Amino acid sequence: MKDVMGIVNVRIQDDIIRVLTDFRCIASVPFGGRYRLIDFILSSMTNSGVQKVAVFTLHKYRSLMDHLGTGKSWDLNRKEDGLYILPPNVFYYSQTSYPGDIRSFYSQMDFFEHSKQKDVIISPGNLVCNLDLREAIAFHRKSGADVTVFYREDAEYEPDFPWKRKLKVSRNNRVLELEEEPGTLEGNKVLVEIFIMSKLFLLETIENSILNGAGDLFQDVILKDRDKLNIYAYPVRGYFAAINSIKRFYRANMDLLNPAIRQNLFFQPGPIYTKVKDEPSTKYATGSNVFNSLLANGCLVEGTVENSILFRGVKVKKGAFIKDSIIMQKSEIEEDARVEYAILDKEVTVSRGKEIIGRENGPVVIGKRKKL
Amino acid sequence: MKDVMGIVNVRIQDDIIRVLTDFRCIASVPFGGRYRLIDFILSSMTNSGVQKVAVFTLHKYRSLMDHLGTGKSWDLNRKEDGLYILPPNVFYYSQTSYPGDIRSFYSQMDFFEHSKQKDVIISPGNLVCNLDLREAIAFHRKSGADVTVFYREDAEYEPDFPWKRKLKVSRNNRVLELEEEPGTLEGNKVLVEIFIMSKLFLLETIENSILNGAGDLFQDVILKDRDKLNIYAYPVRGYFAAINSIKRFYRANMDLLNPAIRQNLFFQPGPIYTKVKDEPSTKYATGSNVFNSLLANGCLVEGTVENSILFRGVKVKKGAFIKDSIIMQKSEIEEDARVEYAILDKEVTVSRGKEIIGRENGPVVIGKRKKL
Amino acid sequence: MGTTKEWIAMLLAGGEGKRLGFLTSEMAKPALPFGGKYRIIDFALSNCTNSGIDTVGVLTQYQPLILNAHIGIGIPWDLDRKHGGVSILAPFLKYGEEGKWYRGTANAIYQNICFIDKYDPHYVLVLSGDHIYKMDYSLMLKFHKEKQADLTIAVIEVPWNEASRFGIMHTDSEGRITEFQEKPAHPQGNLASMGVYIFGTEILKQYLQADNERAGSGNDFGKDVIPLMLDEGCRIFAYPFQGYWKDVGTIESLWEANLDLLSSENGLDLFDRNWRIYTVNQNQPPHFIAPGAKIENSLANEGCEIFGEVSNSVLFTGVHIGEGTVIKDSVIMTNVRIGRNARIERAIIDENAIIGDECLICSERKDPPEIILVRENMILPENSVIRTTSP
Amino acid sequence: MGTTKEWIAMLLAGGEGKRLGFLTSEMAKPALPFGGKYRIIDFALSNCTNSGIDTVGVLTQYQPLILNAHIGIGIPWDLDRKHGGVSILAPFLKYGEEGKWYRGTANAIYQNICFIDKYDPHYVLVLSGDHIYKMDYSLMLKFHKEKQADLTIAVIEVPWNEASRFGIMHTDSEGRITEFQEKPAHPQGNLASMGVYIFGTEILKQYLQADNERAGSGNDFGKDVIPLMLDEGCRIFAYPFQGYWKDVGTIESLWEANLDLLSSENGLDLFDRNWRIYTVNQNQPPHFIAPGAKIENSLANEGCEIFGEVSNSVLFTGVHIGEGTVIKDSVIMTNVRIGRNARIERAIIDENAIIGDECLICSERKDPPEIILVRENMILPENSVIRTTSP
């Protein structure tokens, strides 16, 4: 897999998951007690032997840069290849609307040209999954496809598939039909936004697109030219979520309370890596009352925690009550406060006696460093 | 000096030093055979014991990010403090003109607020110098100044002083007068763009400036309020150049051929650090002819080199002739080619027999990866 | 901007910890796991970093592989520095000499004088990697300078009945040490040496040389060098330390030190962000407390999956505790798996052990207290019973 | 995605290099500076990296401080890996045993079987850190697998008159080794072992164990283990290597190997970007060739300041050569300062030496060739003469 380059294409998705993306891009949204969304696809890539990963960012990527650092946590701090964070050239993006991912790629043509890898695998930064991409690459190469698209059989949640495109495949998984308009095709195979293609194909596509004004790799190339291209489809197995809404974010976090999902997502086929931090053990005081919950290190629990996920360094004071909630790093729930169906971003303080209560289908979201 | 924060404020100066800044910001322009301009102020800061440095960038900073990495070369890869690269938030800068450095600082207010340092030292990224800033900080603290500005006695080259502001000081170096318009004051003390102030003063200044629309820290605050502020001046000693033009760039490089300047600039008061690279020894073939030149490692010299500076990995083939020139990384001068009074950016090829000849007062500049 | 350092630390990490049994069969005592995620040496290393020391020599010779891998180039403690940082100093063969293992604590330093010379510090801090405590050595250095001492020894009051395990000193009203007894059979005082010394570099080298030349010397700081310096009238001062300090010498005291962390007034606050204890962090998901599980007055770490009941215990990373199992007053080390309906009380279960369903491990002997130790990688079949009762 | 490795390397770096005199008084032979900026061990380490090996144990015991500081956690060779990377393996005290220094090459590996077990590789590559060469070990592994060998030994043809310095083998038409003589007084062949072995892990462990139990064994691969394996009918193959390979055993051969780099057909192209030799890079400004200076057929490094004439020589980092001085056929190591109007010919000047104005250092003895060695830190006053002439 030395000859495969990973590309994580971090799009602007501020509107779909507000508050949590006020100060960070979607790929660096915290998830599952100690992770960031990008950890999943990045670990999938490196566990599969990918040794060069380019992360295309657009804005609000300071926290992403801090998180990724030199890529050491993913063993990507390499002398050759390794991790590249590719921010936009500010002058290319002075227009108010995003000109499409092809222009991002175009601004880094020399980067691609200097890379030795043969194939590229392109993914967004908001997928929660743990994939063995070696098999997918082998499938792509064997099939001789121009593009291999990923798909999900039995798509469970609609929000995981923002393009809502179904597809129909032959016995050997060649794509026979790909919906131009959502809702026109029968079946249960839905497109996932991961593609494999040769670097050569990508470069030619970029050059042509710049000439004829195409902006979006999926919309303006793969979908538009679907009849001219030799497209194959590869199934995504195991746990899968694409974080495209607060609801989906909430539900995917809560899914982790299921031991089977957790074992699968965090360890199979390889471990999910993230940036480690210096936090002591979590301490449970006498009288604490915790069940069906995930807690990262460095928490101090004196109160009650049920069906919840606590990130690193959260304090739950005496008499505080947390239920069905996601509490991010270093937040503090003071004495006798009550938090239910809520998502608290980092360093939120809920004062003594205060109540924060959302609904199961609409968890309340509290922004970073708020004091309530 | 744990309580001093360094700020390197990389401005957009593409217009003054074209070609070399087509693909990189001014701070990452190569200099002196193996350095980048930012190395000088960064080494001055860390040699003086500064343990936290924030680099404010605006655009074309990918090569700067590659160069700085985690700051390891400057011992700034620390768990607390260390090096921070602060790119702009793209949406703040969607206007076509640069709104001034104060807005850059304002967009990182939380960074400043979370810093424990008491004083800040602000410098641009284009200065070639080697300074002991401990003395300057001690002077600033003893004087009780709101702002300490740096100045140069006997300003030698006008291009080093883009603001062209002279100043007049008292016996104890309090600033008595600071030119509003260049050319109105007698004397030989010229302002250098380095300032020291308390973090508190900086934060207050930013808050006020945002309210009253001031954009530029020097122009709209220090210069405008000079009569209200308690300003002291600190002299810059040793070699000094501010790279504001191709001419100045050329001349400052050539200054390094003087052993006294070189010893002073590279070693006194502390060593200048840069990112190291894996290059073998430079090899001089039989028949090579080199004098009065600086060569970095990894060069292969078969031809003639006079009064020139060769960066890492340059090849000079048999019969090639280089004189009074600056040849950057991995460029190749083929057989019997002739290069005089020229600046060749990285990976330029001068083909067999070709001549590139500039003038002493107007060296020709060849862009990155050009083949001539 | 020179390369001379004000001070450097020499950290003695070669101790076998003989009374710790199996626990130290594959690692030196400073490498012992502690407090859910640390190794004992993390305390001395973190104290160095937090005290502003950027150059530390770690002297190893007994089973150092785990220690070497743990320390690496010192990244977790921010000791990966351009000038200085951490260096592992194992015994080695010298030009034209027979190989010599380190004999006593003083000899270990003596054999590495070349390392000290490389940094040419004004002061050398000598530490032991065996102790659990948080201490700001920079205050001790300040004290050392104020007293114009040749040697300063950090001291702590210990219970009288333990005094015979330590080096005990007597001081005059100024704090100057007038007498020093290494492990006295009948201690006359309870001011014990913590094994933390600050020497002026020149005097250290002079006495290491002198000690090395003395026939019959055990080349130990406590037994040989310090008494010699006292005899010759050196200015030796006692620097009084208040706070938590523990020399973990036995399985019982290791158990006790772990459980000390559960009391909120133990003086060893690991949550203090201004004096962090650094270590190599593991990559594991958050720990899970299942529906029906119960955890109280305990520490737990990432990667744990807890389906049973845990009280008054310390769980290291990746521990699995089955449904119906009860863990009480115990220390469960990394990756231990415990089945269902087991009961564990007053025990240390070492790394990677597997305890079957319905096992009973329980020590009821409290005077003298006894703790059951289940060995690393041990597989205990279902229904096993390990039990001690008071005689 | 498991943690088992296909292969790991064990690099023997404990050699004293006794015939190298002063040069190895403070460092092991693998730490010797070479080629302007390298240490000899850089070649074996870089070969590992370039061959795709990510786990290397480096066995040290003689004067390892420079080697330890040089290797660190392996960053220059990209060996700072999450799983594996580089580990320094010094002799250590084991539980309940007396301390044992490494006896022979095989014993050094035997004492570190626990390290091999940790990674559970299919193959173990055993290397020496003493040799200068570029070799793709992955091709040798492929050969080893194809031959279904128990052991593969890399071999090179050496000049007949040097054959008695090496382990010499005889092979059948298939390349299978039929006879192995370690340093034979009267060599019957000139196919020499390069000290590069690939073993299947199980067979390696089995024979290390057997060798360890044999009374009187020197515990050396060449003298003991390989003959034993041959005796017992193991499949041992010779993997023929073509290219530059040098075992630097004497001052003369160290000098020769440095000067070999000046010939463009030496087969050791250090400019090849596809097989880089990595090392710790120094931070020094570019080197300066002054007006009036002359440099030809030579290597120079950053930090040099050259005012004189240099030909057919290798200059390490930070060398200063005064006006009027002539350097010929010499190796000038890091930070040497040479005054004006001196003359140096056929010499190695070791690190930090200072040679005064008008000095003459010149060896004219060529048969047997003799090279003058000026010791590290030596200060040679003005007008000194060091000269040897042919007898």
Side-chain angles (χ1 to χ4, degrees), chain C residues 153-156 166-171 177-181 188-194 197 226 236-238:
Chain C
I153 303 176
V155 297
I156 188 166
F166 298 97
I168 296 296
M169 37 228 106
H170 300 274
T171 59
I177 294 171
T178 53
E179 215 188 317
F180 182 100
Q181 300 170 295
Q188 309 285 305
N190 69 338
L191 217 50
S193 164
M194 295 164 64
Y197 312 119
I226 296 170
I236 308 186
F237 282 79

Side-chain angles (χ1 to χ4, degrees), chain B residues 25-80:
Chain B
C25 60
I26 182 82
S28 75
V29 165
F31 183 85
R34 60 195 292 273
Y35 302 90
R36 305 262 179 177
L37 288 177
I38 199 171
D39 294 342
F40 295 91
I41 194 68
L42 209 52
S43 300
S44 295
M45 286 174 171
T46 55
N47 285 334
S48 302
V50 172
Q51 295 183 12
K52 180 170 197 166
V53 178
V55 178
F56 282 83
T57 62
L58 286 170
H59 75 149
K60 299 185 197 169
Y61 47 85
R62 179 149 76 91
S63 83
L64 188 65
M65 277 170 59
D66 286 351
H67 180 68
L68 297 176
T70 52
K72 198 181 174 71
S73 301
W74 300 267
D75 211 22
L76 282 172
N77 55 331
R78 303 268 61 86
K79 281 183 98 95
E80 296 210 20

Side-chain angles (χ1 to χ4, degrees), chain A residues 284 288-291, chain C residues 288-300 305-315 319-332 338-346 361:
Chain A
Y284 294 90
S288 72
N289 195 350
V290 180
F291 73 83
Chain C
F288 179 61
I289 313 289
K294 177 127 192 67
I295 180 164
E296 258 198 309
N297 197 34
S298 292
L299 299 183
E305 301 261 320
I306 302 167
F307 294 86
E309 275 181 43
V310 177
S311 65
N312 212 32
S313 294
V314 174
L315 310 186
V319 167
H320 180 98
I321 293 176
E323 227 174 299
T325 288
V326 175
I327 310 283
K328 226 179 122 182
D329 302 331
S330 293
V331 177
I332 316 291
I338 301 174
R340 293 157 188 249
N341 302 318
R343 182 174 183 87
I344 297 179
E345 217 169 307
R346 295 173 61 81
I361 300 174

Side-chain angles (χ1 to χ4, degrees), chain A residues 34 262 278-279 284 287 292, chain C residues 37 284 287 289 296 305:
Chain A
R34 60 196 291 274
R262 204 165 55 240
D278 297 298
E279 289 287 349
Y284 294 90
N292 198 34
Chain C
K37 60 175 296 190
Q284 286 283 337
H287 63 270
I289 313 289
E296 258 198 309
E305 301 261 320

Side-chain angles (χ1 to χ4, degrees), chain C residues 21-35:
Chain C
F22 300 140
L23 284 176
T24 50
S25 65
E26 296 196 358
M27 63 182 90
K29 187 168 146 192
L32 273 186
F34 173 78

